[in-house]
Amino acid sequence: METWPGNAYPLGATYDGSGTNFALYSEAAERVELCLFDETGAEQRIELRDVDAFIWHCYLPDVLPGQRYGFRVHGTYDPVEGQRANPNKLLLDPYAKATCGSYDWGQSLFSYDFGDPDSRNDEDSAAQSMLGVVVNPFFEWAGDRHPRTPYSQSVIYEAHVKGLTQLNEEIPEAQRGTYAGLAHPATIDHLHRLGVTAIELMPVHQFIQDSTLLDRGLRNYWGYNTIGYFAPHGSYSATGDTGQQVQEFKSMVRTLHEAGIEVILDVVYNHTAEGNHLGPTLSFKGIDNEAYYRLEQDDKRYYTDYTGTGNTLNVQHPHVLQLIMDSLRYWVTEMHVDGFRFDLASALARGLYDVDRLSTFFELVQQDPVVSQVKLIAEPWDVGPGGYQVGNFPPQWTEWNGKYRDTVRDFWRGEPSTLGEFASRITGSSDLYEHSGRRPVASVNFVTAHDGFTLRDLVSYNEKHNEANGEDGNDGESHNRSWNSGAEGDTDDPDVLRLRARQQRNFLATLLLSQGVPMLSHGDELGRTQHGNNNGYAQDNELSWVHWDAADEPLIEFTSALIRLRSEHPVFRRSRFLDGHPVRRGEDEPLSDVMWLSPSGEEMQPEDWDADLARTIGVFYNGHGIRERDSRGRAVVDVNFLLCFNADADDVDFTLPPAEYAEQWEVVIDTAGERADAIPRLPGSVQTLAARSLMVLRAYEGPEAEPDLSVSASLAALSGAAVEDADAEEQP
């Protein structure tokens, strides 16, 4: 085959319309061979003779898209010194834009003989390995543009490509569980019905199946086991893993953008699928082990593990940082995604040991003209010492607010002494974010996510039930801050079912009316259950998939109406923190932008906050205290709202605030479903809050001043409908 020198940049396999340039970084290599495979598996080896700054490269004018390939790296094999080069192991290109095949787990994929970790195994692994595929980068985007929805207007929907679509019978069978299924009108119609603005996809970077799970008849479902940071996961493609998955992914993004929905990727740059010193040699280990991974300095056979997966990527190395940044830019510029959620992001910020808010990774992101302009969401913890860093990421970042999740769960299950922190969490967590110059939108609020109970299970189980995982209950979080509402798991007790339905509405209403950016976990609005399994990482089956035929329709409508209410009233999605400053409206006496009220209708006093058994609180939002302007520069104003939270096991009488707050009040939401109506309430009147319920009241100024009464009526009716529905037997 004709071979030209090629270029050291860009890395990976790059087709330019005439041929393909190949480039691989390896400082550990003494020789590198590019291996081309035909459809029969026959291999042709081409030695890369041109090297610039440890980048081995060539250009092959005869290689077109669809070509399958890998690398063999010759060099020193001395694990004690951190060197694991072995040319008998075919290696996947870290920059492969697509892959084909899968790993057939066996001895050949490992560099040692089973049972003897200190030995060297020289079996050839090509026949059992995943291959890279040269892709055609050209695609008709048809004027596609990023929606660029402001954080303050965003509602994020965390979803799994397969789990969301696999059981949706409105999607053609061949497209279920795929990128094409996600772009199908049935999926988009549901997202539109809810009103979400962004879908956050669980890992779609190419990942692999764990041999330990396969041996137990399970599969890696979540996908936090990345081997290729540029390639869309092949098995999520309706067209198969032939390289066409790239085109299918792009089509999905284009279609979602046409629907006004952003695409955010959950990315795993903290570790790879190669595991610890007993893991396989698939790519990075054999290319340049010491560069790509953090190694224990006293014995470099072993890997530093801040992730709980066996290894941690070495983000102190410039070529690892380049890999991450090149990958991020690729997914924005070539695949048109709108942002990233960084799994175990604290691991990316570690220096030698500690998490460093000013680490090189953050500096690179800050100055990058592409990556800095998209949504950046941190999971602000890892499993290493000092890894819990909620509130400590740089100003440009938003964070999964784990403290919000924990506090809201504790409040609604009736834990004592939660009022103070609950108040902080639902108003944007200024104690966590204001000191770094960030705003309420820095807090990505969530009650549930993929990791843990679903919303329905959160109110149905006290304990995890992970028997299906085959780990004797040792996996998954044991402290779930959940409450089963009076019976563990399935029940036909109508009182328990009614309470569970109410608690789900409490959580949803709290989440969607809190300051910050709300994130829903897919299927929570449908009443999805995993029957108490809080760690479905290995359950690629109907336990984890969304059952569309068992959807809780009243709960869907309730969720949708809440999102509309949030969208129509900027008082629930402020871009600045509430600070209690007085706001004047015309000639009236000024009112604070926020006021915390006790059940007596009076402002909370210090002793009220500290009362152990206090579980009821009201918050007044001044619609004239937003201090923002719309796109035309006009001051943004809203009506006043009063939110009354009662997590007590008994009904509580709540005195509505005096006339200066509102001439009359209208109940917009009553999660108990018993008193939601359009009848105005007078100031100073007593409103009974049902046990464990949330009531939202709006200043009533007459029908002619209320353009969105339909939302109020919808929420009122749905609250009652959901209670009536709870009398039916629990759905499977």
Side-chain angles (χ1 to χ4, degrees):
M1 181 176 289
E2 186 176 3
T3 304
W4 301 351
N7 298 298
Y9 187 87
L11 289 163
T14 306
Y15 175 69
D16 61 8
S18 299
T20 303
N21 190 83
F22 293 88
L24 178 76
Y25 161 76
S26 177
E27 188 172 350
E30 297 170 3
R31 289 176 54 213
V32 173
E33 292 176 306
L34 169 66
C35 306
L36 305 180
F37 294 84
D38 64 21
E39 293 184 359
T40 69
E43 177 181 355
Q44 179 182 4
R45 300 187 187 185
I46 299 170
E47 185 166 351
L48 305 186
R49 300 184 182 278
D50 290 277
V51 189
D52 292 298
F54 305 113
I55 297 176
W56 306 70
H57 54 88
C58 75
Y59 182 90
L60 302 180
D62 296 326
V63 168
L64 304 177
Q67 176 65 59
R68 305 173 185 187
Y69 73 100
F71 291 102
R72 296 182 186 274
V73 172
H74 299 253
T76 302
Y77 183 83
D78 186 356
V80 173
E81 294 300 321
Q83 300 177 34
R84 293 179 177 268
N86 185 338
N88 298 296
K89 309 305 173 185
L90 186 75
L91 305 174
L92 182 68
D93 179 7
Y95 279 73
K97 307 299 192 302
T99 65
C100 69
S102 60
Y103 290 103
D104 182 9
W105 291 105
Q107 178 68 79
S108 70
L109 296 177
F110 296 79
S111 289
Y112 63 93
D113 294 330
F114 291 159
D116 186 4
D118 295 326
S119 63
R120 170 171 171 153
N121 178 277
D122 285 328
E123 292 182 43
D124 194 288
S125 67
Q128 286 75 46
S129 293
M130 182 179 289
L131 302 175
V133 180
V134 177
V135 304
N136 185 345
F138 305 108
F139 180 77
E140 179 51 65
W141 282 104
D144 177 73
R145 300 180 65 182
H146 296 281
R148 299 198 182 281
T149 306
Y151 273 119
S152 61
Q153 298 174 23
S154 295
V155 178
I156 298 173
Y157 189 76
E158 186 196 31
H160 188 283
V161 171
K162 185 174 184 180
L164 182 64
T165 62
Q166 184 67 30
L167 298 179
N168 191 336
E169 294 185 356
E170 294 184 27
I171 299 173
E173 187 172 358
Q175 295 181 13
R176 296 174 197 167
T178 70
Y179 306 122
L182 204 61
H184 190 273
T187 306
I188 292 177
D189 287 349
H190 181 71
L191 298 177
H192 273 168
R193 178 185 180 187
L194 287 178
V196 299
T197 66
I199 188 165
E200 181 179 302
L201 297 179
M202 291 176 65
V204 298
H205 287 171
Q206 181 64 54
F207 62 88
I208 66 174
Q209 294 299 322
D210 310 71
S211 61
T212 54
L213 291 179
L214 295 176
D215 290 343
R216 303 205 309 265
L218 302 172
R219 292 177 59 81
N220 187 314
Y221 172 61
W222 286 353
Y224 294 92
N225 205 27
T226 306
I227 195 64
Y229 291 111
F230 293 78
H233 188 61
S235 69
Y236 292 162
S237 173
T239 55
D241 60 355
T242 61
Q244 293 302 310
Q245 60 263 46
V246 176
Q247 305 293 314
E248 185 178 333
F249 186 93
K250 290 179 177 179
S251 294
M252 176 198 73
V253 173
R254 183 181 61 193
T255 302
L256 287 167
H257 282 179
E258 289 171 353
I261 298 170
E262 293 184 308
V263 179
I264 298 171
L265 301 188
D266 192 339
V267 290
V268 191
Y269 294 112
N270 54 78
H271 73 278
T272 79
E274 290 186 299
N276 61 15
H277 63 290
L278 299 178
T281 298
L282 309 176
S283 179
F284 308 92
K285 274 185 182 178
I287 293 171
D288 198 327
N289 184 60
E290 197 168 10
Y292 279 111
Y293 293 114
R294 289 177 177 266
L295 305 178
E296 295 294 329
Q297 293 306 302
D298 55 343
D299 190 339
K300 293 183 179 180
R301 283 177 297 181
Y302 303 112
Y303 295 80
T304 303
D305 183 11
Y306 293 125
T307 65
T309 63
N311 65 59
T312 305
L313 274 177
N314 181 17
V315 291
Q316 292 182 294
H317 194 282
H319 279 280
V320 177
L321 286 168
Q322 181 186 357
L323 170 79
I324 296 172
M325 296 305 298
D326 285 350
S327 171
L328 292 170
R329 278 192 296 270
Y330 175 80
W331 286 96
V332 176
T333 59
E334 294 296 323
M335 309 296 263
H336 285 209
V337 304
D338 304 283
F340 305 94
R341 178 265 189 189
F342 292 79
D343 177 66
L344 300 181
S346 292
L348 298 173
R350 287 189 180 271
L352 287 176
Y353 300 104
D354 297 330
V355 177
D356 183 359
R357 183 171 171 271
L358 301 177
S359 71
T360 304
F361 171 69
F362 289 141
E363 292 174 353
L364 288 175
V365 170
Q366 175 74 29
Q367 59 79 41
D368 190 278
V370 173
V371 179
S372 65
Q373 298 306 303
V374 301
K375 287 183 168 65
L376 302 171
I377 304 170
E379 182 184 35
W381 50 77
D382 64 19
V383 302
Y388 192 79
Q389 293 291 321
V390 173
N392 292 329
F393 274 66
Q396 193 175 26
W397 290 68
T398 63
E399 302 175 15
W400 270 25
N401 190 344
K403 292 186 177 182
Y404 177 95
R405 172 200 59 205
D406 296 345
T407 301
V408 170
R409 287 187 178 193
D410 279 347
F411 176 80
W412 281 117
R413 70 190 179 114
E415 287 295 293
S417 303
T418 58
L419 286 186
E421 187 165 6
F422 180 74
S424 178
R425 299 296 157 248
I426 66 173
T427 52
S429 296
S430 60
D431 58 322
L432 300 177
Y433 304 114
E434 193 171 24
H435 68 89
S436 58
R438 288 186 282 178
R439 296 186 177 186
V441 293
S443 177
V444 175
N445 300 327
F446 65 105
V447 174
T448 62
H450 67 272
D451 188 1
F453 282 143
T454 67
L455 179 61
R456 179 169 160 182
D457 289 355
L458 183 66
V459 301
S460 303
Y461 294 91
N462 285 348
E463 307 295 335
K464 63 186 179 183
H465 296 267
N466 296 357
E467 294 80 9
N469 295 351
E471 300 182 35
D472 296 324
N474 294 318
D475 65 301
E477 175 62 59
S478 296
H479 183 44
N480 293 284
R481 292 182 161 89
S482 61
W483 179 50
N484 64 18
S485 307
E488 186 74 359
D490 293 341
T491 181
D492 57 4
D493 185 324
D495 291 332
V496 172
L497 294 178
R498 187 177 294 110
L499 178 56
R500 288 178 180 177
R502 183 185 303 181
Q503 286 285 69
Q504 289 181 80
R505 293 193 297 276
N506 288 336
F507 281 120
L508 287 169
T510 303
L511 173 67
L512 290 167
L513 300 182
S514 290
Q515 307 296 332
V517 180
M519 185 188 78
L520 290 165
S521 180
H522 79 193
D524 275 355
E525 78 284 3
L526 287 82
R528 184 174 79 90
T529 178
Q530 292 181 172
H531 301 288
N533 190 315
N534 73 350
N535 190 29
Y537 79 104
Q539 299 299 324
D540 188 3
N541 51 53
E542 294 193 9
L543 179 67
S544 294
W545 302 339
V546 174
H547 288 256
W548 293 89
D549 59 346
D552 184 338
E553 285 294 328
L555 192 60
I556 297 173
E557 287 298 330
F558 185 75
T559 306
S560 175
L562 279 168
I563 293 175
R564 291 203 309 276
L565 185 70
R566 177 185 181 86
S567 174
E568 293 174 5
H569 290 284
V571 75
F572 295 119
R573 45 182 177 81
R574 297 170 53 96
S575 59
R576 293 177 174 84
F577 285 109
L578 296 154
D579 57 13
H581 76 280
V583 178
R584 183 178 296 277
R585 180 186 179 186
E587 299 300 320
D588 297 335
E589 287 296 316
L591 297 174
S592 297
D593 62 353
V594 63
M595 184 80 72
W596 298 98
L597 304 172
S598 69
S600 67
E602 299 177 346
E603 188 172 358
M604 292 279 288
Q605 300 300 311
E607 59 270 20
D608 297 326
W609 293 104
D610 297 333
D612 287 345
L613 300 180
R615 297 182 176 89
T616 307
I617 192 171
V619 56
F620 166 78
Y621 285 147
N622 188 336
H624 291 260
I626 299 176
R627 296 187 299 154
E628 296 168 18
R629 296 187 178 275
D630 62 18
S631 59
R632 297 183 181 181
R634 298 172 299 188
V636 174
V637 294
D638 201 352
V639 296
N640 296 342
F641 278 87
L642 175 66
L643 281 65
C644 301
F645 301 86
N646 179 26
D648 200 280
D650 297 316
D651 293 355
V652 172
D653 288 339
F654 198 102
T655 302
L656 299 182
E660 56 262 32
Y661 291 84
E663 294 182 5
Q664 297 183 86
W665 292 100
E666 172 196 15
V667 176
V668 180
I669 302 169
D670 179 2
T671 60
E674 298 165 2
R675 302 174 184 86
D677 52 50
I679 301 173
R681 271 71 168 173
L682 295 175
S685 63
V686 175
Q687 181 68 55
T688 300
L689 304 180
R692 296 192 173 93
S693 71
L694 163 60
M695 184 175 288
V696 178
L697 302 96
R698 177 174 53 186
Y700 183 76
E701 300 176 355
E704 67 282 355
E706 298 294 334
D708 61 347
L709 279 175
S710 61
V711 175
S712 302
S714 175
L715 283 163
L718 287 166
S719 295
V723 168
E724 293 172 5
D725 186 68
D727 288 330
E729 288 190 359
E730 195 169 46
Q731 296 171 333

